Amino acid sequence: MSRRPLAIKREIPSSESLLRESSKDGSFTKSWSISKYRRKQYSSHRTDVYAFDPSIIRPSITVSTRDNDHANEDFDAKWGGKGVTREISFGHVGIKEKASGFFESVKNTVLATYVSITQKKKSGNNRNFRAKLMIIVVCVVFIRSIVLKIIVIQQRQDENKRQLMFLERLSKIGIRKIGSLGSKSKRTGIVDWPRGSKESDPARARQVDWWKQNPIAPIGFSCDVTPSYSSDKIPSIKASYKALEGYKYRGYEIPPPVFKGRTPVPPGPGEERLQVAVVIPFVHFQIYKVTSVITQFWSKNPPCLPGSEKVSAGLIFYTENSLSKGYKNYILEIYQRLGKDKIGCFFTDIPQFLSLTDEDLQMSHLEGAAFDFYMLFELLESKYKTFMLVEPDAVPIRENFLPAIVAESELLRCDSDGLWQIGSLPLSKKVKSADLQKRLDYHINGNSFYILGCPDFEEYKCRVQTYYGPDGRCELMAGCATPEMYEGGYDHALYRYRVQSDNYEYSRLVMHRFSYSNLMHNLGDAVYDPVEIVENYPSTYLVHSKSIYLTDAANALKEVTTEILKVDTCGHDNHVSAVIAHIYRYLKTGEYTKRDAARYICKIMLPLGKVKKSVCNMYKNEAGGYAEDDWKDRMEGKTYLWTMDFHGGPASCDSPIIREAGGVLHAEVDGICDYYGLCRDRLKVIRADHWKEFDPTEQQIVDFKAAYKDDPEFKRVDAFLCHHPVANCELFLPFNRSIIVHATTRLEFGRHDAGIDWRLNSGYDRNTGQEKWKKWVKTLQNLATDKRNVIAANNAYDQQYIKYFTGISDVLLLPSWCGIGIGVTICEDGWKSNLQKNWMPTRAEVMIVPYRSNLDRTRYQTNVRRPIDHPILKELRAVSRDLRGTTEVKLISELYDDANPLRMLDHPAVVIIPYQVSTMNLIELYRLNIPMFCPSLSLLKRWCREHDLLWEVHYGWPEMLVENQENIPDPNGSLNMDKNSKEWEQMFDYWIPLSDFYQMKGIIYFDSWEDFFKKYHDALDSDRLVNTSHEMRQANKELEGSLLRQWKNILAKVRQQ
């Protein structure tokens, strides 16, 4: 990326040998001699750095040797010399990261070569020493200069290419005033300021030069510049600037703007503008943040009171890219559910949906936010006098906020005493966060009031966009950010411009146009108490903070890492990352409080010198150390559950809903655990090493009891929870605690499962398995007689399965939740959010799920075929091109290397080819509200008959130990059952409809692949996919409420008295 000339603070006079850095170990000294440099602050550094201009650098190379009796021993040991210190300096340029590694290696090479030659000199071989060294140095300087030129040219070409593509996309959608595509020698529309005279302004002259040299850089939308695609337009554009000759602002002769400000669009004849537009800007993936604001915050603190009169205000939902009709209807439905008593004071009953384009402009977050902001003025000014920007994380904390917004907006006027912007400065209590105090950050946050239709404010915005040109972090948008660290955003550019010394003459005349207000409180990402804010700030109605969408665990983790480690949460070495991951795991489950997390950090990091003792002293326990509290004192008021599973999915899915219900679940997991962050931590006896000891021996059961008999943690446990396999509950019988049996698959799993090939090779014995099965069924029956225990299954199939084989009538259907944190581990995108990511398809492929399909194998034989060669997929490929159209149906493995369900959010739909009646992956996909297609019962029956598709449903063929009074068909049949027999058909017809994919709402069923394509194309041509996703979301919301009630009842039942 090229430097941003507008970021130059000042020129500094020439100086020789200005910068010198000496190493303290005495090994060598690097020095750079330069003739001139420019000061600049890069966004990636907190302190000033110096960017050297290669065109004005004079390389200087100095080589010297001197005796040193105290030479560094490590240096001597490496190079074999002693008593010699080498000093070498190189001409240096401030280049980008791409080149830094190259130059570092070159310097190391020269140093090594020099030392080698020096050593030869000491041994007597010093012929042509200086000549050889100078040849090497000259070559290095030459290569360096060539590489630097190539890098700079390539970066500039890449930037120009991206800007050109952006301008072309804008021109396609009819957006003008985007800058010039004119000659490089003359920037169209620039008013030259006389240079060399008394009125000369060097700061402005630099801006003019920059814009002339960057003719395709997009200016933005506040400047009155028309794209010049041909030279015949240039005279007319120049003519429009004659009015700037003899420029004055409010009677003061000051430097004119580089470009003329945009002329506002007036209202139509006879039209009256409304006072204020409340604008909620968002991008597609934030749709459910918007609906969350309405349902959670606006419903509690509505904009209006019952019976309120209408006020001069409108509501606008604003997106860069157009929303589909289905999404508009969804947002509108959520909004109108509030009722007229809460939203009736808006001037219009129906909010407006405002979008810019269907074109993907391919902008970064900063560029996109600035693009949307600057475009908004032209879109609104003919209908509204002002607008207030209210992002989805700016929410009301008091009711009846709309009349307050209208009253505040009336302070905005275009006359000499009116305001242009009203908003909140940073009010986070942590002034050192983001260097707020150090940077003297008084910027007005973007969630503010703005004047519309005011030529003077358009000129101000144009000046800002001219001063902070499109470069660096914002190649496609001017006025998008400043070069300072932590100052990405148009709101920072709007503020920082008027406090620059370059702009003093103009800024002092408009400084009074910007005002701070308490109506909106800007807290950044700080956690806050709305009651406290209302008490201390009676005029505050809204609060802006990202914390409302962060989990409690993420907020707590951020606080302890910044307070104690003084670092951001992510991006550390393995040791620090492991410590942070550990405390996050237990913050997430509720096992740790913020204080517990702080003590753990101090206990581990203080001996390593990575934290300050004075900070850690605040977190000491009563004994003066950092040990955790006694188990009896931990998790006060919470029900503590403990599980040992061989799959992390069930525990991970249950943990959030258990915590919300007032419990804590600690999980020790083997097998699939890394993905869920629940691997074994303090498990005894059972090693849980890659599914070994899956079926513990009698001796291990005895040893387990002995190991935990007096364990203080087990004395704190209220109940034990078993998922996968549920038979592991047998380990917990000796501890006299409640037991929650929560089956996620067949009851015999782990005891009598002869249908699983890998179990047959791991010491399984059929006769022993039969005895274990009888014992386990008896144990389960006994557990059911004790009201302290809970017998449950997460799907209807296993619920009925338990009833069938045990005779227990009271088996609870308790679905796995899996509703928060799906597919995300710590420090990955979205890991902190308390909202699930949204289905928002960007790809065309329909995906076959789940990732593991069993299409490559049979019950006892692996690698029979490639999954793609399975007959079912051959049927798919046999569908005619006319019927398939352009629709591609792919296996996940054809596109992705793992089963992360979040990848499916990018696809329009998934097709289920089931291998089990219930899987955690399918539940996760359903919770993500991704439209699903599934074979109908008749099609699935054919596939099972012909291809034994659901062979894994049957883990074995356990003995029926209770009387079958209802003549229900055996769910497993027999190993070699004839699939054309009546017995098999009765089994299928009774049991398979209980599968999750036939119980869940909103799934679309097809009778053949031809039928699938027909139904899928019909859904694409309508809003059915969107409506299906909404139906799934509603079903999930209802289930969440039901599960929360169920778990609250369970926790109350099992808690120790």
Side-chain angles (χ1 to χ4, degrees), residues 316-358:
I316 296 175
F317 294 104
Y318 178 46
T319 58
E320 178 182 308
N321 297 107
S322 300
L323 289 177
S324 69
K325 183 180 177 182
Y327 278 116
K328 288 180 182 178
N329 289 339
Y330 177 66
I331 294 173
L332 185 60
E333 179 186 348
I334 297 293
Y335 171 73
Q336 291 182 327
R337 282 182 197 165
L338 295 175
K340 286 193 174 182
D341 283 348
K342 294 183 176 181
I343 57 176
C345 59
F346 278 103
F347 188 80
T348 54
D349 293 332
I350 305 296
Q352 182 182 357
F353 289 89
L354 185 62
S355 302
L356 294 176
T357 175
D358 292 325

Side-chain angles (χ1 to χ4, degrees), residues 808-870:
I808 300 171
S809 58
D810 187 16
V811 181
L812 180 66
L813 178 60
L814 188 65
S816 297
W817 173 228
C818 310
I820 289 293
I822 297 173
V824 176
T825 57
I826 185 170
C827 291
E828 289 184 349
D829 180 41
W831 70 275
K832 297 180 289 186
S833 177
N834 60 16
L835 293 177
Q836 207 46 269
K837 291 189 175 183
N838 306 319
W839 170 69
M840 195 64 59
T842 57
R843 302 189 59 151
E845 303 96 341
V846 176
M847 304 306 297
I848 294 174
V849 297
Y851 183 84
R852 176 189 160 205
S853 62
N854 282 355
L855 297 178
D856 60 331
R857 58 165 299 165
T858 62
R859 181 181 296 278
Y860 295 123
Q861 190 175 359
T862 59
N863 299 319
V864 173
R865 66 179 75 84
R866 296 185 308 162
I868 199 170
D869 293 329
H870 193 281

Side-chain angles (χ1 to χ4, degrees), residues 277-282 293 298 315-316 387-396 401 405 446-448 520 542-544:
V278 178
V279 180
I280 301 179
F282 61 98
V293 166
W298 283 38
L315 177 63
I316 296 175
F387 73 90
M388 183 185 188
L389 216 54
V390 184
E391 294 172 352
D393 50 6
V395 299
F401 61 84
I405 287 176
N447 290 279
S448 302
M520 171 80 78
L542 299 103
V543 174
H544 171 238

Side-chain angles (χ1 to χ4, degrees), residues 31 45 88 117 175 199 235 264-265 298 312 401 423 470-471 494 639-640 809 863 889 907 946:
S31 66
H45 300 281
I88 186 164
I117 295 173
I175 297 179
E199 294 83 9
V265 179
W298 283 38
S312 185
F401 61 84
D471 200 1
L494 287 173
T639 305
Y640 186 40
S809 58
N863 299 319
V889 182
H907 296 271
E946 295 176 4

Side-chain angles (χ1 to χ4, degrees), residues 25 33 220 312 374 411 414 490 757 783 849 955:
D25 63 352
S33 294
S312 185
Y374 290 112
L411 299 174
C414 201
Y490 61 86
D757 59 339
L783 289 173
V849 297
Y955 280 23

